[in-house]
Amino acid sequence: MASAGQFVIFVSFEVKKDFLEEFHRIMAIDAAETRKEEGCLRFDLLKVQGSDTKFCLYEAYKDEASAKQHANTEHYKMWNEFKTAKCGVVEGSYSKVVCDALDFQS
């Protein structure tokens, strides 16, 4: 069972085909560095079956403060710039769900 405070973020999105190589490069860095963060319990990059361009992120943190701290890291800022300033994500495809973990396997 989850202890109080565990915090999960689930994100789904589609990457523009011309940006796939850059996306994979950025996410390799973001995933590796996020997993080193003290408050990160899990960080998974998932690809939707049957699609080369649709992905999901499953991120679990020990608490909401850890997730907020993650958003201030350089590796997160690379991903954020990719999806916003560089427009690497298909417009309208980005969806983010924030969850409190009720029954979390650690």
Side-chain angles (χ1 to χ4, degrees):
M1 288 294 262
S3 59
Q6 292 168 329
F7 189 78
V8 175
I9 301 168
F10 187 81
V11 181
S12 62
F13 53 92
E14 184 172 4
V15 175
K16 294 178 182 177
K17 287 185 180 190
D18 293 345
F19 288 83
L20 280 171
E21 186 176 321
E22 182 179 4
F23 167 74
H24 285 293
R25 181 184 58 77
I26 289 170
M27 287 311 301
I29 295 167
D30 190 29
E33 294 302 314
T34 300
R35 291 173 185 145
K36 294 176 187 176
E37 293 174 29
E38 183 179 334
C40 180
L41 302 174
R42 185 170 192 100
F43 186 93
D44 296 328
L45 171 62
L46 311 168
K47 185 179 80 58
V48 174
Q49 289 184 347
S51 175
D52 292 332
T53 59
K54 294 180 181 178
F55 299 88
C56 299
L57 295 173
Y58 179 83
E59 307 173 46
Y61 298 92
K62 69 179 184 179
D63 53 28
E64 189 173 358
S66 296
K68 287 181 179 181
Q69 185 176 358
H70 166 68
N72 293 318
T73 63
E74 290 305 313
H75 49 276
Y76 173 82
K77 290 176 184 177
M78 286 175 48
W79 157 240
N80 194 50
E81 181 180 333
F82 173 83
K83 69 182 180 181
T84 57
K86 292 188 176 182
C87 300
V89 172
V90 173
E91 187 174 343
S93 72
Y94 186 87
S95 174
K96 179 177 181 177
V97 178
V98 176
C99 309
D100 294 318
L102 297 180
D103 190 355
F104 187 83
Q105 180 181 357
S106 54

